[in-house]
Amino acid sequence: MAKVGIVMGSDSDLEVMSKAAEMLEKFGIDYELTVISAHRMPDVFFDYAKTAEEKGFKVIIAGAGGAAHLPGMCAAIFPMPVIGIPIHTKSLGGVDSLYSIVQMPSGIPVATVAINGGANAGILAAKILATSDDELLNRIKAYKDELKDGVMKKKDKIEKVGYKKYMEEK
């Protein structure tokens, strides 16, 4: 199966980025997760991005906070889809990261999920890969059914016991 590269600039991003890995595992997608600072170790970063295609990566998920250059630099080098995850920052709450990732120049797109949106990045990577993998597409459809079933159970319970009792039990 196709691989996904998951890269972040710091181990402090691991809590968010691990959610992407968990979703990929749920769908049975092989991935490689690593920490590479584009600013502190540019030679290692360039090697990672330049060899990602050779490694079999079809998508890179890159998380970054603050200046958030990592996703855009991946997209500048890696010829296939890059998904950026803006990481919440103490100073500006992640809006700085979001703007840095989403405002890429023409010709260098980065698909961008919500601030700290690791799970959605994993799901989006799976959906990209599912365009050429019917078995993966079926697993994604089953996941969507699981989501629906979970909401339906909550809906039914609220209707049965009332919202006040539901909230007390929650």
Side-chain angles (χ1 to χ4, degrees):
M1 176 157 294
K3 288 185 179 179
V4 174
I6 301 176
V7 63
M8 65 207 86
S10 169
D11 66 340
S12 63
D13 304 337
L14 193 53
E15 184 178 339
V16 171
M17 302 304 288
S18 67
K19 291 177 174 47
E22 290 167 9
M23 292 310 302
L24 294 173
E25 287 173 11
K26 180 174 184 65
F27 294 122
I29 298 169
D30 189 25
Y31 65 90
E32 176 184 295
L33 185 145
T34 193
V35 176
I36 302 174
S37 171
H39 297 116
R40 294 180 191 95
M41 45 201 288
D43 54 333
V44 175
F45 165 74
F46 281 110
D47 184 58
Y48 173 84
K50 283 184 174 186
T51 62
E53 184 181 6
E54 293 169 23
K55 292 180 190 173
F57 293 176
K58 301 297 183 194
V59 179
I60 291 177
I61 299 172
H69 290 127
L70 193 60
M73 289 303 298
C74 284
I77 298 168
F78 182 65
M80 289 183 263
V82 174
I83 302 168
I85 303 175
I87 304 294
H88 184 273
T89 57
K90 292 178 185 172
S91 57
L92 298 173
V95 174
D96 49 341
S97 312
L98 174 64
Y99 287 164
S100 292
I101 296 171
V102 79
Q103 286 299 122
M104 291 301 297
S106 181
I108 313 295
V110 175
T112 309
V113 296
I115 296 168
N116 286 355
N120 272 353
I123 295 166
L124 181 55
K127 286 184 170 191
I128 290 168
L129 296 173
T131 61
S132 61
D133 184 332
D134 289 337
E135 288 179 27
L136 177 56
L137 181 58
N138 288 332
R139 291 193 295 274
I140 291 169
K141 289 176 180 180
Y143 173 71
K144 289 179 66 84
D145 289 341
E146 289 174 27
L147 292 176
K148 179 182 176 182
D149 292 345
V151 174
M152 291 300 291
K153 286 177 185 173
K154 292 175 185 177
K155 171 194 164 298
D156 292 345
K157 186 169 183 180
I158 290 169
E159 290 175 357
K160 182 178 178 182
V161 302
Y163 80 91
K164 288 182 182 178
K165 187 170 182 176
Y166 178 84
M167 292 302 291
E168 288 171 5
E169 294 174 1
K170 199 171 175 189

